[in-house]
Amino acid sequence: MNKILIANRGEIAVRIIRACREQGLQSIAVYSECDRTALHVRLADEAYPIGPNPAVESYLNINRIVDVARQAGADAVHPGYGFLAENDAFADACREGGLIFVGPSPEAIALMGSKTAARAVAIRAGVPVVPGTTEPVLESATPEELAARAGEIGYPLLVKAVAGGGGKGMRAVDSSSELLTAVQTARSEAHSSFGDSAVYFERRLVKPRHVEVQLLADGYGTILPFVERECSIQRRHQKLVEETPSLAVSRTLREEMTSAAARIAALAGYTNAGTIEFLLDESTGRAFFLEMNTRLQVEHPITEMVTGVDLVAAQLAIARGERLTLDPHRLLEPAGHAIECRVYAEDPDANFLPSPGRITHLRPPAGPGVRDDSGVTEGSEIPVFYDSLVSKVASWGSNRPLAVARMARALAEYQIRGIKTTIPFFLRLLKDADFLAGRFDTTFVERLLGRHAGDRPDPLSVEARTIALMAVALQALHSEAPVPTASADGWKERARFEGLREWPTA
């Protein structure tokens, strides 16, 4: 394996290109029209155009990417995260085209990509799952049948898409009067986002924590789980801040979760990098299986910082057929504490509306214990066509207070002009007493935003900004193509103009 095509863009493409260079491998970038001068294109050994700006015509075009890989003489394809990373048809097309897919098999992707099938695997592995339906709810189910199924699970519950993720096709239901509308809305959104309208029911835990276990698995039966990551700081089911280790996980619970994750991966016949996600129930302290992400996670840098393992290099080694030789005990004993903040081109004072545009000035943070994974430079354009992630700032410290202090220092140093970013939100978060004490769950961000509602700008200015952004969106729609519902992020298909669907409030 000597030549790798990276089927992605932005910071993750840059990350993989650098890993290839360190291992003496040639890297091939692909790009849409608006990414012609992007950083990943400039850094790669070779770069090839793959189509117009809409993702469905470029980064989601399986045939085009495979054709380019073969024409360029690539041995392998690394999908990164998002786009086609969890698409079993893409993995299969690579295999049929004689290319090594740097990830799990198409069969494992298909199995664990279905939430109901993945729940069945977890049950077989003896891992608790959140109470819910074991099969998709039938399209032909009558309102009475839906109510009966929901009644068996109990309220509050979630109607969830079987495919995809990232909060798409998910609706919370507090009572039977809301059920039918929630099912119809979730089905519609699931179909438009993933091409699959299947949904199922799941009990909604009250104030859970979202904790996940990173895995590496080789082709010889070795499965290595890592120390957990805490991912509860999220908005609309989209992660914003991650840290490792979790303050909510004891040594005993860590052993239970990592053992459960390894059993699930073994039953799935899993290889390469993946992550098992859990929900921690506040009332019982139990961990319930949520889903598996069959790819490299966005938040992988913090695991690298506390374990010293290069996860992308490990992915490439596994794809080459090498055995894992890491000490399994060291992976469960973190060296210090690490935190990651995802810097988006969004305006936190305007209901997190997208803020596309050109970066006119950029000075990223640096210094002891700080890492900035970025796919942009000064002069880069943040396009409207893809996810708005600008960079991922990660900090490390010998303990959590030091990691938090370094993150606050790094974000205060971060200079970026020309676009709005989520940095002001993170600076408020890092000063919050509950965050500093580790008193948070998946509903924390909504409460935090409520406490700072008075800090938002005048509603008229917000309205004016919304109208301006909608004009940009409509112009793009008119001049390019229908808005693609898939995007370049790692939390599966996130809609391009998600923020525009909600009118901001003062």
Side-chain angles (χ1 to χ4, degrees):
M1 193 170 78
N2 299 305
K3 204 170 184 181
I4 316 295
L5 182 140
I6 295 95
N8 220 298
R9 65 180 300 277
E11 65 84 18
I12 189 57
V14 170
R15 169 75 179 89
I16 298 166
I17 289 168
R18 287 172 170 157
C20 288
R21 185 156 295 158
E22 290 172 3
Q23 296 196 15
L25 303 173
Q26 289 184 283
S27 58
I28 304 169
V30 293
Y31 60 91
S32 65
E33 291 174 357
C34 67
D35 278 340
R36 182 177 298 274
T37 61
L39 181 59
H40 75 282
V41 174
R42 288 180 275 151
L43 285 179
D45 295 302
E46 300 175 30
Y48 296 87
I50 52 171
N53 294 327
V56 292
E57 300 180 45
S58 52
Y59 296 106
L60 292 172
N61 189 329
I62 292 176
N63 292 335
R64 177 61 176 152
I65 292 173
V66 172
D67 285 346
V68 167
R70 296 175 67 180
Q71 292 166 14
D75 307 298
V77 173
H78 195 308
Y81 54 70
F83 285 138
L84 297 169
E86 293 179 277
N87 188 307
D88 60 290
F90 180 53
D92 189 56
C94 289
R95 182 167 63 185
E96 291 297 314
L99 300 163
I100 298 170
F101 183 78
V102 184
S105 68
E107 293 77 16
I109 294 174
L111 176 65
M112 301 310 288
S114 164
K115 292 188 180 67
T116 49
R119 282 166 59 89
V121 172
I123 292 170
R124 284 173 51 210
V127 179
V129 300
V130 179
T133 54
T134 56
E135 298 292 337
V137 176
L138 295 176
E139 293 269 5
S140 60
T142 65
E144 293 75 21
E145 290 170 334
L146 292 174
R149 297 296 298 276
E152 295 169 1
I153 298 166
Y155 295 94
L157 60 77
L158 292 170
V159 179
K160 299 179 68 174
V162 170
K168 297 298 175 191
M170 182 186 300
R171 288 295 180 273
V173 181
D174 292 317
S175 66
S176 58
S177 62
E178 304 171 5
L179 182 63
L180 186 58
T181 299
V183 170
Q184 293 170 341
T185 305
R187 284 195 195 281
S188 175
E189 189 172 54
H191 184 267
S192 64
S193 296
F194 316 123
D196 184 348
S197 61
V199 298
Y200 71 104
F201 295 163
E202 183 179 277
R203 174 76 63 81
R204 177 156 60 94
L205 300 182
V206 178
K207 295 183 178 180
R209 292 179 82 121
H210 187 150
V211 180
E212 63 188 24
V213 172
Q214 172 75 56
L215 290 167
L216 285 177
D218 65 20
Y220 305 94
T222 301
I223 300 174
L224 299 178
F226 288 66
V227 60
E228 77 286 340
R229 294 186 293 244
E230 170 78 62
C231 305
S232 298
I233 305 297
Q234 49 187 257
R235 179 176 178 271
R236 296 180 185 164
H237 308 286
Q238 299 289 344
K239 300 169 187 173
L240 300 175
V241 179
E242 303 94 354
E243 61 181 294
T244 182
S246 169
L247 298 180
V249 175
S250 64
R251 182 178 295 273
T252 299
L253 183 56
R254 178 177 300 155
E255 292 174 354
E256 291 177 2
M257 293 173 63
T258 53
S259 175
R263 295 198 306 274
I264 292 172
L267 276 177
Y270 198 85
T271 55
N272 215 274
T275 298
I276 304 293
E277 302 199 340
F278 296 89
L279 289 181
L280 300 188
D281 184 17
E282 180 185 51
S283 60
T284 64
R286 297 184 68 195
F288 293 94
F289 170 78
L290 178 62
E291 64 181 10
M292 184 176 195
N293 294 136
T294 56
R295 52 166 167 79
L296 185 70
Q297 291 282 89
V298 179
E299 56 271 22
H300 75 273
I302 57 174
T303 295
E304 295 181 331
M305 294 175 90
V306 299
T307 64
V309 176
D310 185 326
L311 291 171
V312 178
Q315 284 190 290
L316 295 171
I318 293 169
R320 285 195 298 266
E322 298 178 16
R323 291 179 180 270
L324 287 169
T325 58
L326 299 168
D327 178 0
H329 302 291
R330 182 169 68 86
L331 305 181
L332 301 178
E333 295 294 336
H337 199 97
I339 300 174
E340 176 182 286
C341 289
R342 302 184 185 188
V343 178
Y344 289 107
E346 296 176 349
D347 187 350
D349 291 325
N351 203 29
F352 291 84
L353 287 173
S355 180
R358 185 174 299 278
I359 298 173
T360 58
H361 171 75
L362 178 65
R363 192 181 77 181
V370 173
R371 169 175 168 175
D372 179 55
D373 282 27
S374 176
V376 300
T377 59
E378 189 169 289
S380 290
E381 189 82 21
I382 304 299
V384 299
F385 303 99
Y386 317 116
D387 183 80
S388 62
L389 184 67
V390 175
S391 74
K392 303 179 314 195
V393 179
S395 65
W396 176 90
S398 56
N399 52 53
R400 187 174 188 263
L402 179 56
V404 171
R406 281 179 166 166
M407 178 61 75
R409 185 264 299 168
L411 293 175
E413 287 181 1
Y414 203 139
Q415 295 181 13
I416 184 166
R417 290 198 290 271
I419 59 172
K420 298 283 188 178
T421 74
T422 48
I423 291 174
F425 165 77
F426 293 131
L427 289 172
R428 289 197 296 264
L429 171 76
L430 294 170
K431 295 177 183 178
D432 185 85
D434 287 336
F435 174 79
L436 294 174
R439 294 190 298 265
F440 52 77
D441 53 63
T442 57
T443 66
F444 175 76
V445 169
E446 280 68 27
R447 298 198 303 274
L448 179 67
L449 292 174
R451 291 203 296 271
H452 289 280
D455 300 336
R456 295 183 183 180
D458 183 89
L460 289 179
S461 64
V462 174
E463 180 177 326
R465 179 165 181 78
T466 302
I467 293 172
L469 282 168
M470 291 182 73
V472 171
L474 289 171
Q475 182 180 17
L477 289 171
H478 178 72
S479 61
E480 293 289 344
V483 175
T485 55
S487 71
D489 60 18
W491 28 126
K492 302 178 184 172
E493 281 79 14
R494 177 176 174 175
R496 201 172 118 195
F497 294 110
E498 177 184 27
L500 297 178
R501 287 201 289 268
E502 286 192 19
W503 199 264
T505 56

